[in-house]
C-alpha cells in the first residue's frame, strides 16, 4: 500500500507526481490509499465507491484537513486560501477524528442537517458572502487571507494567534475573512478519555498489509511492530504542528490495554520478538498532565516545558516505567526499543527512567532531538537550552557504563531555522567537530 501523503509533502499534487514516478511500470502491483471517501468490502477486500463525481470528491477530501484556514504551501511558495472555499465543502473536520466521525454519522442518521453540525468542536466551515460571523468574547478574528498573503508579519501574527487557541478548555472560535466571505474554525475537540483511547486501540487490527502484496514492504515493518501508548504534545515547539493535530493535552491508553497489545504481538507466530518502538509523538510524556485542572482550564501558555518546566506539570515517569517493565516480561518479547523522541528535559528529571531506558530499551544508538546548539535559536524554537543536552548526555553515558553497555547518542539538528544566522551555524559546526559528530544529512 502506498500513501500519497508520504513525508508530509502535501500540496498541488507534488507528492502524487513523485509517487507516480516511483511506481511507473508496476502500477498494477500497487494499491494507492489516500484520504477520500470510499467503502471496502471486508470479505473481498475490493474498494468500491458510491460517488459519481469521484475526481471532485477526492480533491475535496484529500486536501480538506490541510487548509482549514489560509495556509502556506511550500511547493508553490504561496499562501493559499481555505480549502473550504476552493472545494466548496460543507465542513472540514480537523484533529484526531475517531469520535468526531461517529458524532457526525450519528447526528446525520438522526435527521440533523449538515448545517446543524456547525456547533461541533473540531469543525471548520464557511459562511455565505452575505452572512455575518458571530461576535463576542468567544470569537477571535485573524488577519484576512488577503492580508496574510501579502504581508509576512501578518501571516506570522495569524499563526501565533492560531497556536494560542489550541487549549480546548479556553480556545475561541477563529474567524478569517476571505474577501467578503468568513471562514470559521471552532475550538478543538476535548481530549479523549482513557476508556475511549483503549477502545480505539483495542480494535482487532491485523497488523498486516493488504493480501494482494506478495513481497515485503520495508516501511511496513517499522509501524507494524510499534506500539502507540499516547497522543498529544505539550512541548509547543515552533516548527512542529503536532499540537494543531493531536492536541496539547496528553491522552494515554491504560497499562492493561498497552500490555495486552504487546502480549498479543508475542503470541503471533510471525512476530520476531522485537517491538520497534513504544511511544507516540514523544517517548516519555505518558500520563503527564497539569496537576491543577482548574489552572489547566484557563492556561494559555504555549509550552509546558519552555522556557522551563512548569511547576504544575506532573512529570512522574513511574506509570511509563511500569509499562516498560511489564511489557518486556511478556512471553515472546525479546526486546522493546524506544524510538520515539525522548524529551530530554523531562527524562533527566527521573534517574530511574534514565536507568530503565539505557539498560533495557536502547539498541546501541539513541536518537535525540537537540535541534541546535545556539541558545538564541533554541529559544526561538522553544527548545531546551544547550545545558539540558549536556546533562542528559552525561546521565546517559553514566547509566550505560553502569549497565555494562557501549551506547551512543545520535543528536539531529535543524540547520536553517528562522533566526539562525551564520554565527549560530558556526557554533553548531564547532560543536559537531569537537564532539566527533559527522552529519549524515543536512
Amino acid at each position: 500500500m502506498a500513501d500519497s501523503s508520504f513525508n508530509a509533502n502535501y500540496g498541488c499534487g507534488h507528492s502524487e507526481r513523485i509517487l507516480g514516478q516511483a511506481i511507473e511500470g508496476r502500477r498494477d502491483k500497487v494499491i494507492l490509499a489516500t484520504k477520500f471517501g470510499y467503502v471496502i468490502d471486508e470479505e473481498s477486500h475490493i474498494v468500491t465507491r458510491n460517488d459519481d463525481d469521484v475526481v471532485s470528491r477526492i480533491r475535496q477530501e484529500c486536501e480538506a484537513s490541510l487548509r482549514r484556514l489560509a495556509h502556506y504551501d511550500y511547493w508553490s511558495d504561496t499562501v493559499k486560501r481555505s480549502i473550504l472555499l476552493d472545494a466548496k465543502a460543507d465542513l472540514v473536520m480537523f484533529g484526531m477524528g475517531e469520535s468526531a466521525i461517529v458524532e457526525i454519522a450519528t447526528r446525520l442518521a438522526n435527521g440533523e442537517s449538515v448545517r446543524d453540525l456547525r456547533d461541533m468542536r473540531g469543525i471548520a466551515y464557511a459562511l455565505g458572502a452575505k452572512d455575518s460571523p458571530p461576535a463576542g468574547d468567544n470569537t477571535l478574528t485573524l488577519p484576512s487571507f488577503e492580508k496574510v498573503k501579502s504581508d509576512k508579519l501578518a501571516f506570522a501574527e495569524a499563526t501565533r494567534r492560531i497556536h494560542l487557541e489550541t487549549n480546548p478548555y479556553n480556545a475561541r472560535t477563529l474567524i478569517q475573512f476571505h474577501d467578503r466571505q468568513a471562514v470559521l474554525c471552532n475550538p478543538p475537540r476535548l481530549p479523549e478519555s482513557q476508556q475511549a483511547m483503549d477502545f480505539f486501540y483495542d480494535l482487532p487490527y491485523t497488523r498486516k498489509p493488504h493480501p494482494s502484496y506478495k513481497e515485503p514492504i520495508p516501511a511496513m515493518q517499522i509501524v507494524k511492530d510499534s506500539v502507540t501508548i499516547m497522543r498529544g504534545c505539550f512541548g509547543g515547539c515552533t516548527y512542529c504542528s503536532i499540537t494543531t493535530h493531536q492536541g496539547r493535552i496528553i491522552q494515554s491508553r491504560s497499562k492493561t490495554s498497552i500490555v495486552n497489545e504487546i502480549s498479543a504481538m508475542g503470541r503471533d507466530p510471525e512476530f520476531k520478538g522485537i517491538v520497534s518502538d513504544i511511544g507516540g509523538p514523544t517517548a516519555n510524556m505518558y500520563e503527564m498532565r497539569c496537576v491543577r485542572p482548574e489552572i489547566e482550564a484557563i492556561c494559555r501558555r504555549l509550552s509546558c516545558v519552555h522556557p522551563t518546566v512548569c511547576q504544575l506539570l506532573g512529570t512522574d515517569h513511574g506509570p511509563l516505567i511500569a509499562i516498560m517493565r511489564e511489557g518486556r516480561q511478556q512471553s515472546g518479547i525479546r526486546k522493546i526499543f524506544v524510538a520515539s523522541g525522548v524529551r530530554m528535559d523531562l527524562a533527566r528529571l527521573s534517574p530511574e527512567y534514565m536507568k530503565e531506558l539505557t539498560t533495557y530499551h536502547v539498541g546501541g544508538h539513541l536518537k535525540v532531538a537537540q535541534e541546535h546548539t545556539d541558545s538564541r535559536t533554541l529559544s526561538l524554537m522553544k527548545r531546551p537550552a544547550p545545558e539540558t543536552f549536556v546533562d542528559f548526555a552525561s546521565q546517559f553515558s553514566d547509566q550505560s557504563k553502569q549497565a555494562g553497555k557501549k551506547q551512543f547518542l545520535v543528536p539531529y539538528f535543524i540547520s536553517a531555522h528562522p533566526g539562525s544566522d551564520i554565527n549560530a551555524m558556526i557554533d553548531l559546526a564547532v560543536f559537531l567537530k569537537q564532539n566527533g559528530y559527522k552529519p549524515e544529512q543536512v
Side-chain angles (χ1 to χ4, degrees), residues 76-216:
S76 61
D77 190 25
T78 187
V79 176
K80 294 183 176 294
R81 65 180 191 164
S82 170
I83 192 64
L84 282 158
L85 304 179
D86 289 344
K88 294 180 172 50
D90 294 310
L91 301 172
V92 164
M93 180 178 69
F94 60 90
M96 305 297 285
E98 298 99 339
S99 60
I101 197 168
V102 171
E103 180 180 349
I104 290 173
T106 301
R107 292 178 62 174
L108 291 177
N110 289 336
E112 294 189 55
S113 68
V114 173
R115 191 180 184 89
D116 293 331
L117 303 180
R118 289 181 175 182
D119 64 352
M120 285 180 58
R121 285 175 169 268
I123 288 293
Y125 59 94
L127 296 177
K130 296 182 179 180
D131 296 332
S132 298
D137 295 338
N138 292 326
T139 64
L140 177 66
T141 300
L142 303 173
S144 69
F145 163 70
E146 290 76 19
K147 187 67 173 177
V148 300
K149 184 176 177 64
S150 61
D151 186 340
K152 293 181 180 179
L153 289 179
F155 183 91
E157 176 60 20
T159 301
R160 185 185 73 87
R161 293 183 189 179
I162 291 170
H163 281 271
L164 283 169
E165 303 300 326
T166 54
N167 184 343
Y169 295 118
N170 58 45
R172 293 170 285 185
T173 296
L174 300 175
I175 302 171
Q176 185 177 56
F177 277 91
H178 293 58
D179 193 14
R180 295 182 299 119
Q181 198 166 1
V183 172
L184 276 66
C185 184
N186 289 346
R189 293 186 70 83
L190 295 173
E192 300 288 357
S193 66
Q194 190 167 86
Q195 182 181 12
M197 288 288 288
D198 286 354
F199 174 76
F200 300 153
Y201 288 93
D202 288 349
L203 292 171
Y205 303 106
T206 66
R207 293 183 177 274
K208 297 179 180 179
H210 193 279
S212 66
Y213 286 95
K214 307 303 180 185
E215 299 177 358

Side-chain angles (χ1 to χ4, degrees), residues 167-378:
N167 184 343
Y169 295 118
N170 58 45
R172 293 170 285 185
T173 296
L174 300 175
I175 302 171
Q176 185 177 56
F177 277 91
H178 293 58
D179 193 14
R180 295 182 299 119
Q181 198 166 1
V183 172
L184 276 66
C185 184
N186 289 346
R189 293 186 70 83
L190 295 173
E192 300 288 357
S193 66
Q194 190 167 86
Q195 182 181 12
M197 288 288 288
D198 286 354
F199 174 76
F200 300 153
Y201 288 93
D202 288 349
L203 292 171
Y205 303 106
T206 66
R207 293 183 177 274
K208 297 179 180 179
H210 193 279
S212 66
Y213 286 95
K214 307 303 180 185
E215 299 177 358
I217 307 171
M220 179 64 185
Q221 298 304 314
I222 299 174
V223 296
K224 181 176 76 71
D225 294 333
S226 65
V227 177
T228 299
I229 64 175
M230 46 76 68
R231 66 173 55 158
C233 182
F234 48 68
C237 301
T238 54
Y239 52 81
C240 181
S241 62
I242 289 175
T243 300
T244 60
H245 289 284
Q246 294 197 0
R248 61 186 290 179
I249 296 174
I250 302 303
Q251 300 148 80
S252 304
R253 298 168 62 185
S254 68
K255 184 179 78 168
T256 298
S257 172
I258 296 167
V259 173
N260 284 346
E261 180 177 350
I262 296 173
S263 179
M265 294 170 68
R267 295 192 299 271
D268 185 346
E270 298 181 7
F271 178 62
K272 305 301 181 182
I274 307 297
V275 177
S276 60
D277 183 31
I278 180 171
T282 58
N284 57 319
M285 286 186 181
Y286 180 78
E287 287 197 352
M288 292 188 180
R289 288 275 304 261
C290 181
V291 298
R292 297 276 300 277
E294 72 277 13
I295 300 298
E296 181 183 50
I298 62 175
C299 180
R300 301 188 69 83
R301 182 172 168 173
L302 285 173
S303 172
C304 298
V305 290
H306 184 273
T308 58
V309 177
C310 179
Q311 295 180 349
L312 297 181
L313 178 65
T315 60
D316 181 18
H317 283 73
L320 175 57
I321 293 171
I323 289 172
M324 295 163 75
R325 289 174 175 171
E326 190 168 342
R328 64 175 183 264
Q329 292 173 357
Q330 300 305 301
S331 176
I333 303 300
R334 293 164 47 204
K335 188 80 173 181
I336 297 178
F337 288 118
V338 170
S340 298
V342 174
R343 188 78 197 196
M344 294 182 289
D345 46 359
L346 296 174
R348 70 191 186 110
L349 300 177
S350 174
E352 186 180 11
Y353 174 75
M354 290 294 295
K355 180 178 181 180
E356 200 75 17
L357 175 69
T358 54
T359 304
Y360 301 105
H361 299 279
V362 177
H365 294 83
L366 179 67
K367 292 183 178 181
V368 291
Q370 173 56 20
E371 310 297 9
H372 217 288
T373 57
D374 177 65
S375 296
R376 177 177 176 275
T377 304
L378 287 168

Side-chain angles (χ1 to χ4, degrees), residues 373 389 411 413 426-437:
T373 57
F389 173 71
F413 302 93
I426 291 174
D427 182 77
L428 174 56
V430 171
F431 170 84
L432 295 174
K433 181 70 174 179
Q434 289 178 341
N435 290 275
Y437 291 118

